[in-house]
Amino acid sequence: MQRAMRLLESVAGHECGAPAKQLARETGLALPTTYHLLRTLVYEGYLRRDKGLFFLGAAAEQLSSSGAPQKRRSTVVDALARWRDAIGAPVYYAVYREGEIDLVCVSDTPGNPAVQEWADFRETGHAHAIGQCLLSQLSEAARRDHLDRFPVQPVTPYTVRDGHGFLRRLERTRRMEPVIERQEYALGTVCAAVPITAGTTAATVAISLPAQQAHRLLPAAQQLQAEVGRLLGPLGLPITI
């Protein structure tokens, strides 16, 4: 198994294919062993042979693509946990996908628990910072379409009262600035969301704090935005998982 994996790794390093003798040299395998393993890998679909050169096959490519979402998710989970500990607040990651708000990951601790979803998160995007941030990144037509399907309705006494008022608020939202929400979704809780836009996908990372810590919200949101910027720079935060 290990020898077969070494061959697969060697083939993966040659986009234009490689002959058996070269692969044997690179892996340190005897040529007869190399030929035997290559034939087996071709038969199983992990490699394909064309004019004496070996390339990755459909089975190997499928394995690679199936592992990609897990790797992306692991990157996001690790980043959220790091930001959670640095800021001292639960951290949320969400995207707008297929016309709905999708809360992908939440990272919290017993000492800093996440907000309980007491009202359907997808249907109350007008009330929480995550939804407000995601909807602010959409076109006007997409916003109206969302509100047609999920009308504005009061969630707490602090929630925006109607769709027109909510749309006006979104229009006033400045691009790439944190979105702040105070007790509009959950009494006793304040939230902030940082927009992430890449291509056509709208995404956000957010935090929540007890209302008595409202003075911490804006500095914490700015710290979160700086952390996100650092990750987006060298590594590229995967926004679809």
Side-chain angles (χ1 to χ4, degrees):
M1 181 66 176
Q2 289 180 343
R3 293 180 299 181
M5 289 299 297
R6 281 157 57 189
L7 275 174
L8 285 173
E9 290 172 354
S10 184
V11 172
H14 298 280
E15 293 184 5
C16 298
K21 290 183 179 180
Q22 182 177 357
L23 295 171
R25 288 196 304 271
E26 291 179 356
T27 57
L29 298 173
L31 190 57
T33 301
T34 300
Y35 274 121
H36 170 71
L37 290 172
L38 288 173
R39 283 194 297 269
T40 301
L41 290 169
V42 169
Y43 177 78
E44 296 292 342
Y46 292 101
L47 293 178
R48 61 181 177 86
R49 185 176 183 179
D50 183 21
K51 298 178 181 179
L53 301 177
F54 291 89
F55 303 81
L56 289 181
E61 292 172 355
Q62 184 175 1
L63 279 176
S64 176
S65 62
S66 66
Q70 183 176 356
K71 183 177 180 180
R72 291 197 298 269
R73 185 178 183 88
S74 177
T75 300
V76 171
V77 169
D78 291 346
L80 295 190
R82 191 162 63 249
W83 299 336
R84 175 201 68 202
D85 295 341
I87 298 172
V91 183
Y92 312 75
Y93 174 62
V95 299
Y96 193 82
R97 129 167 82 204
E98 298 181 356
E100 290 194 348
I101 294 165
D102 183 6
L103 181 59
V104 180
C105 296
V106 180
S107 185
D108 64 351
T109 64
N112 292 301
V115 177
Q116 292 297 313
E117 186 178 352
W118 72 276
D120 191 303
F121 216 68
R122 295 172 302 173
E123 298 179 4
T124 56
H126 60 282
H128 47 74
I130 287 174
Q132 294 171 15
C133 187
L134 291 175
L135 293 174
S136 72
Q137 299 176 58
L138 304 182
S139 67
E140 182 179 353
R143 294 173 188 171
R144 292 184 180 276
D145 173 72
H146 182 92
L147 296 181
D148 286 342
R149 291 179 288 114
F150 304 108
V152 171
Q153 55 185 335
V155 180
T156 76
Y158 301 96
T159 309
V160 63
R161 309 313 294 177
D162 57 69
H164 293 297
F166 181 61
L167 287 172
R168 286 196 298 271
R169 176 192 288 188
L170 293 182
E171 290 170 359
R172 292 194 299 268
T173 302
R174 294 185 178 180
R175 188 175 181 273
M176 302 315 294
E177 281 195 357
V179 174
I180 304 295
E181 168 262 302
R182 295 178 174 85
Q183 303 190 80
E184 295 180 46
Y185 176 78
L187 292 176
T189 302
V190 295
C191 302
V194 172
I196 303 173
T197 303
T200 59
T201 302
T204 183
V205 179
I207 55 173
S208 63
L209 290 169
Q212 60 267 31
Q213 297 182 28
H215 61 282
R216 288 187 53 212
L217 188 60
L218 184 56
Q222 292 169 338
Q223 181 181 354
L224 177 63
Q225 192 163 34
E227 295 284 351
V228 172
R230 277 192 284 272
L231 184 61
L232 281 173
L235 298 180
L237 178 67
I239 63 172
T240 54
I241 59 177

